[in-house]
Amino acid sequence: MATPHNQATKGEIAKTVLMPGDPLRAKFLAETYLENVKQFNTVRNMFGYTGTYKGKEVSIMGSGMGMPSIGIYSYELFSQYDVENIIRIGSCGSFKENVHLRDIIIVQGCCTDSNFAHQYELPGTYSAISSYALLERAVNKAKEKDVVYHVGNVLASDIFYHADQGSVEKWASMGCLGVEMESYALFATAAYLNKRALTLLTVSDSLVSNEETSPEEREKTFTAMMEIALEIA
């Protein structure tokens, strides 16, 4: 069985999938941390791998950028491949002075400027939140590893180059810790299909200080976040 975007057959993908946006980060993570690795997807160069970490089966697959992309991949994984948990491991921009480069954000919930949830025809605004069971395990693991982390809301935006230059201050004033582009769709899809999802983000750039990391750093050096995800998978 395959889907339009995934050539894997049933049984080749683990119950828990780690999803970085960048497929090269998926490749790095699989080659660095997993044993007995098998690549299950190359369609559109959205690489997917299954292997074992400390004897436990886990899969890693890229999601691409934006809510439409992760919406497709997460829906197919949940509905066609019997995946139970997806843990997004991504990067984000910080909205806060006290959320620094390389800090980890454990995402509790997502605000959005997207209309992704219109498909559910709800009589109101849907609040997209993570799985508390996964979130609690991630917090405990972050404490154990003694890394700097924050728990809270982020903005999942459809827009990278925003025409409204004041949008950062507006979202920050409502308590958003940072901005990324995927988690709202992931959390909504998981809720709709009665599955579990969590997002872990490493701060790759600050919209306050204008500090930033390089593409290579984002691909290969956000290992604390990766290890937390692997430990709770």
Side-chain angles (χ1 to χ4, degrees), residues 94-97 99-101 205-212:
S94 169
F95 281 167
K96 298 287 190 178
E97 288 185 2
V99 181
H100 303 290
L101 229 60
D205 57 283
S206 171
L207 283 77
V208 180
S209 69
N210 295 318
E211 296 175 286
E212 61 182 17

Side-chain angles (χ1 to χ4, degrees), residues 141-216:
K141 188 57 63 174
K143 289 178 179 177
E144 181 183 309
K145 294 177 70 66
D146 196 28
V147 299
V148 179
Y149 72 94
H150 311 265
V151 179
N153 284 357
V154 298
L155 170 66
S157 180
D158 273 342
I159 305 164
F160 190 86
Y161 298 108
H162 210 299
D164 179 2
Q165 297 300 308
S167 64
V168 170
E169 289 78 11
K170 293 171 186 176
W171 286 109
S173 73
M174 293 299 292
C176 284
L177 301 177
V179 60
E180 50 101 79
M181 302 187 75
E182 289 82 23
S183 294
Y184 188 93
L186 173 61
F187 293 172
T189 301
Y192 179 68
L193 296 173
N194 196 29
K195 304 288 187 172
R196 301 196 302 181
L198 176 68
T199 290
L200 305 177
L201 300 169
T202 299
V203 176
S204 60
D205 57 283
S206 171
L207 283 77
V208 180
S209 69
N210 295 318
E211 296 175 286
E212 61 182 17
T213 56
S214 70
E216 185 175 6

Side-chain angles (χ1 to χ4, degrees), residues 57-73:
E57 188 178 60
V58 61
S59 293
I60 303 165
M61 183 178 181
S63 73
M65 290 189 291
M67 282 175 267
S69 187
I70 199 170
I72 289 169
Y73 291 110

